[in-house]
Each structure stands twice: as structure tokens, then as C-alpha cells.
Amino acid sequence: MKIHKILILTFVLVAFAGCEDFLSVSPQGELTQEAFPTTPEDALQATNAVYSTVRSWHYHSGGFPILDFMSDDGHKGSNPNDGANTQGPYDNFTHTPTQDGLDRWWNALYEGIKRANVVLEKVEPIQMDQQLKSRYLAEASFLRGLYYFDLVRAWGGVPLVTSLEVPFEVQRSSAAEIYDLVEQDLLFAIDNLPPKSAYGANDLGRVTRGAAQALLAKVYLFQQDFEGAEQYAMEVINSGEYGLEPDFYDANGPGGEHGIESVFEIGAVATSGTDNGGNQYANTQGVRGTPNRGWGFNRPSVDLREAFGPNDPRRDATIIELGEVIDGVEILGDGTTPDEMTDENGILQIESYNQKVWIPGTSTNTQFGHNRRLIRYADVLLMAAEALNENNKPGQALTYLNQVRERARQGNASILPDITETNKDALRDLIIKERRLELALEGHRFWDLVRTGKAPEVLGPYGFVEGKHEVLPIPQSEIDLSQGTLTQNENW
């Protein structure tokens, strides 16, 4: 469904009942805008429906991890011929406004915004417990802010829609206007959401105050507002609600689901299909061939391998190698994929896979049970370190940077020593490098390079053009359907 249709057609909500894990139940029916929501029970279902967008395969940058393809961390992967024309162009910045996945991602985000607007406009008049109502509104506000944050990072200024009454032609707002809405939504969420510890087992996965504070810190980092980023990252740290998993693998693995390091994650169950509670994000990247755990996209780059160095334990927990045995399963890989791809300059790619999405099991279905961590505490610590350094507080910045390194070295004092650098420029580079190693293949690297101005230097050899590739092109299908209302990004 195209954006102008999404914004004006009858709203159809997929309702989720509130039993056990509220994110893992099947749709209970379809309800029209006129009849829904009108009761406290409806308010719960409408709020749950806003979460369903993050479980859509299309929510993950159109279904494929293109942000990793466009970074120096990963390549398209899979079989060389698989997705060569649809996903391959993201690898070398030859993608176009008609590229596969752009329209799917755009539409998924606006679908989520539509559902959030239903809650924010229709739940307010419902007679019900005021505290619970405020929480529902705050959950919807957070999610709308999250969806718009993805839109503004990916495309810059986009259509701004905050009401169910939408004109047929909606022009693009400025990036500043989008950021203003995101900030307003997150500030409202912070004021009305409970801390993580206030939720019971049946509500695992719901948005918390800490998640809103962490996301707002990230929003401020993207705007170079380092005072704001410091304030909200420190509020998360000082809340005492979060910590680092003792084992780095558990930060993304099954052992850490909804654990101490999880600030916001997407709940899933090990069964194929999002309607059944599964999440295809990990299946898309799972080992291809033997064992058959997925499609094999998002291959770790040689550059990423070398960035880790030989002694960083995070490398082994990030990259699955051929011949490795994981959970008793030997990784043989795909017989039609070369073990190595070379040219006259040396090795270009090595067949390997993203271990951060590995789920123990023997079938592709189990891969659908991966809980993707959208925000984890290590990210918050590194955001705090970055903001503190920019605010001329290098000593405090080192405290949080070294917490991440301490966990990474797993008690081995001979590796990953504490950083002592206090020069602002040098420490900035070290923090960005640490973000790369800690958060590799989690979709952060491309945007980190863009927001810090490092993309032209680092990604230029891959085809990145300054003044163009900082954002994606608006999907051509949306521009065509708008009949000139939407304009294309510069140089596209």
C-alpha cells in the first residue's frame, strides 16, 4: 500500500490479545475505525497493534540489513547470484530510487505511524484508568518517535502526519520538523512510562522509561546536541535498571533475552511467520547451506575482521566461520558459494555469517525466534562516553568506554587494556572504533559514520558520494503516486 493511500484509507488494525507474551499472539480479527477503539479493552488492543510494526520483516530496512551492506562491516553475502541485482547495489552504492526494499521500508514505517496516531487520537477520550491510559499513550508516542527517527535518518525530511484526518497531498516537512516531533514524543513517553522493573513477566517487551531516555539520547547525538545526549544517557545509567551481560554473546543471544542489558528489544518465538510470533530478521541472515538456517545475507567484511584484531573475544562471538562447531552443529556453509573471493589485490570476501543472530536449533524455524535488540546498555554507555568527551569531560567518558572494554575482555587482563587517552579528537576516534567492534552487524555502523562526518573517508572506496549517499532516495513509486507532491532528495 502506497504512502498517500496509507494515510487516507480506512484504518484497519491488527489486534493482539493480552495473554502471556503480548508480542507473540496471533491476530484476533479486524476492526474498522468507526467502531474501534472505544473501550478500555480496545485501548489495550490498539496499543499492542502499534508494536506489530517492529515484528514485520519489512520494518528491518525493507527486509534486508542494507545498513550493514552500506557500511564497511558487511557485504550482501548469500550465494553470489542471490539478490545480486536487488541487494547487491547497496554494497557499492549503485542503488537507485527504484531499488528493492525502499518502498517496503517506507510503507512499514508509515503503517506504524498510522497505528500510533490511532492510539494517540482515539484512546484519549476513552473513560478508563487514567494512569493506564497515560501509559498507553506514552507507548504509542515512543513508537511513533522511533518510526519517525528511522524515517528522518534514512530519508531526511519526510511527510509529517500526526492526525487521522490527512489531506490527499502531503508534502515533505524539513528534517528539523521531524526531529522536533520525535523529541516531543519521547519527552512525553519519558514522563509517562514506568521503569523496566515495574513490568511483570506478561509485559516483557513493552517500552520503558529507560528505552525512551536512551532513544532520546541517540536522537540528540544525531543532531550534535551533546548536552542533551549526555543528560539522557546518564539518566539511563543512573537509574540502576540496566547493566552488561557477563558474557558478550548473551548481549544478543538467547541467554540475554529481556535481560539486564536489554533496553528495548523485539520479542519473537521460534516459528515461521510474523503472524505466528516469529521474526524473520535472523532467518534472512542465518547460515546458508549446511546447516540450513537461513538465506545467508550480511557477510562480515575482511575489514571488520582486521578491525577486531586477533585477541578480541568479540570477534568469535560476532562471526561464524566455516568449520566452526556451534551448539554441537558443524558449520559447512553453502556449496555454491566460494569459500573465498579474491582479486589482484587479495581477499575480498570470506564465506562467513553473522553470529549475533544465531539461535540454537536444527531448522530454519528456530531462527525466527531471535529477539533483535534495538537498544542495549552497551550502546548507552558508548553514547554517554561520546557525549561526555564532546562536552570536555574525558575522564568521565573513559569510565563508560572502559566498562564496555572490561566486559569484552572476559577477565583476561592481557588483552583490551583500559584506554587512557584524553585528547578530545583522539578519544573521539577511539570511541567510534569501540562502537564498531561492540555493535558490529547490528545496523549502527553506517549511520555512525554519516553522523560523525567520517562516511566520505571510510566509505568512499566502496562508492559513497558525499552530498548524496548520506540519505537514501525517496522510493520512486511514492514520488510517481504523489503526482509531484513529493520531491526527490538532492543528487538522486
Side-chain angles (χ1 to χ4, degrees):
M1 191 183 297
K2 303 306 178 183
I3 177 59
H4 77 292
K5 293 181 180 179
I6 286 179
L7 300 177
I8 64 175
L9 290 178
T10 300
F11 290 85
V12 179
L13 297 178
V14 180
F16 293 86
C19 59
E20 297 189 4
D21 180 353
F22 81 105
L23 287 177
S24 65
V25 295
S26 300
Q28 301 298 303
E30 294 183 348
L31 299 169
T32 65
Q33 180 181 344
E34 289 75 15
F36 183 88
T38 57
T39 68
E41 292 75 17
D42 291 347
L44 172 62
Q45 292 182 338
T47 303
N48 287 354
V50 190
Y51 285 91
S52 63
T53 289
V54 296
R55 288 184 44 231
S56 164
W57 184 61
H58 298 167
Y59 169 75
H60 306 287
S61 55
F64 293 86
I66 64 172
L67 295 172
D68 287 324
F69 301 169
M70 293 190 295
S71 78
D72 51 345
D73 281 359
H75 297 289
K76 171 188 74 68
S78 190
N79 180 280
N81 296 322
D82 190 10
N85 295 326
T86 57
Q87 304 307 311
Y90 293 110
D91 237 343
N92 56 16
F93 295 95
T94 58
H95 51 283
T96 70
T98 60
Q99 203 64 49
D100 177 80
L102 294 179
D103 57 342
R104 294 195 301 265
W105 192 13
W106 174 283
N107 291 337
L109 293 171
Y110 272 107
E111 181 73 13
I113 290 165
K114 177 192 72 177
R115 292 174 174 180
N117 287 341
V118 169
V119 174
L120 294 170
E121 189 166 319
K122 304 285 279 188
V123 169
E124 178 62 43
I126 296 176
Q127 296 296 314
M128 60 179 294
D129 179 82
Q130 185 59 48
Q131 184 176 5
L132 187 57
K133 180 197 294 187
S134 295
R135 196 196 84 191
Y136 291 163
L137 295 174
E139 291 178 67
S141 293
F142 171 92
L143 291 165
R144 185 173 70 175
L146 173 67
Y147 301 147
Y148 265 123
F149 186 39
D150 283 348
L151 280 164
V152 74
R153 287 187 291 179
W155 286 286
V158 294
L160 183 62
V161 181
T162 59
S163 171
L164 302 183
E165 298 295 331
V166 184
F168 184 79
E169 295 181 346
V170 184
Q171 297 185 1
R172 297 179 68 175
S173 296
S174 67
E177 289 171 319
I178 302 299
Y179 273 115
D180 284 345
L181 177 69
V182 173
E183 291 172 31
Q184 292 169 24
D185 277 347
L186 295 179
L187 287 169
F188 178 82
I190 289 168
D191 288 341
N192 291 279
L193 285 171
K196 182 178 181 179
S197 58
Y199 281 121
N202 290 346
D203 286 315
L204 291 177
R206 289 197 182 277
V207 181
T208 65
R209 183 184 305 144
Q213 291 165 331
L215 185 57
L216 185 55
K218 189 179 290 286
V219 167
Y220 284 138
L221 272 187
F222 272 75
Q223 298 177 88
Q224 307 294 302
D225 180 350
F226 298 111
E227 290 186 2
E230 176 188 335
Q231 175 186 342
Y232 287 99
M234 291 306 302
E235 287 188 9
V236 178
I237 292 170
N238 292 332
S239 71
E241 294 277 331
Y242 306 96
L244 296 173
E245 293 285 348
D247 188 332
F248 174 77
Y249 173 73
D250 289 334
N252 287 285
E257 290 178 358
H258 301 296
I260 191 171
E261 189 162 345
S262 174
V263 181
F264 184 57
E265 69 183 81
I266 303 171
V269 294
T271 181
S272 61
T274 56
D275 287 348
N276 298 319
N279 184 351
Q280 197 167 354
Y281 173 79
N283 174 257
T284 303
Q285 302 177 61
V287 174
R288 183 184 180 103
T290 305
N292 178 18
R293 305 303 306 281
W295 301 349
F297 286 93
N298 199 15
R299 176 156 299 132
S301 69
V302 173
D303 191 81
L304 176 63
R305 292 168 172 273
E306 294 174 349
F308 275 114
N311 297 318
D312 192 329
R314 290 174 296 191
R315 174 175 166 169
D316 183 58
T318 299
I319 301 173
I320 296 178
E321 306 283 11
L322 296 184
E324 186 175 353
V325 177
I326 307 176
D327 298 315
V329 179
E330 185 176 5
I331 309 301
L332 301 179
D334 180 29
T336 61
T337 298
D339 291 352
E340 292 184 356
M341 298 175 62
T342 64
D343 67 4
E344 63 276 8
N345 296 316
I347 298 175
L348 296 176
Q349 292 188 41
I350 299 172
E351 185 182 356
S352 53
Y353 300 91
N354 180 3
Q355 186 155 336
K356 289 184 175 180
V357 299
W358 172 268
I359 294 290
T362 57
S363 70
T364 57
N365 282 355
T366 55
Q367 283 292 117
F368 283 79
H370 171 73
N371 283 19
R372 183 185 178 187
R373 278 46 155 205
L374 293 183
I375 309 174
R376 56 186 180 91
Y377 188 60
D379 187 7
V380 176
L381 291 174
L382 293 172
M383 287 193 287
E386 182 177 348
L388 287 161
N389 181 56
E390 297 298 337
N391 293 333
N392 301 308
K393 303 173 184 177
Q396 295 178 57
L398 289 173
T399 296
Y400 302 114
L401 172 61
N402 286 325
Q403 282 185 25
V404 174
R405 290 175 66 81
E406 181 182 8
R407 191 271 298 276
R409 60 179 173 256
Q410 302 284 271
N412 185 349
S414 67
I415 61 172
L416 300 176
D418 281 357
I419 291 173
T420 59
E421 178 65 65
T422 57
N423 175 271
K424 187 174 186 177
D425 293 337
L427 183 53
R428 179 189 300 119
D429 289 342
L430 289 169
I431 292 169
I432 296 304
K433 179 180 179 181
E434 200 67 34
R435 285 187 62 82
R436 182 187 191 187
L437 302 178
E438 177 70 23
L439 305 171
L441 304 179
E442 296 180 43
H444 297 278
R445 175 66 171 173
F446 174 76
W447 274 331
D448 280 349
L449 292 173
V450 168
R451 69 177 177 79
T452 58
K454 296 178 179 295
E457 175 187 357
V458 175
L459 301 179
Y462 297 93
F464 182 96
V465 175
E466 188 173 6
K468 177 179 181 178
H469 289 123
E470 288 85 355
V471 292
L472 293 165
I474 301 293
Q476 188 61 46
S477 57
E478 299 300 328
I479 291 178
D480 293 342
L481 286 166
S482 76
Q483 299 180 1
T485 300
L486 292 181
T487 57
Q488 186 54 272
N489 279 324
E490 188 175 357
N491 295 322
W492 285 101

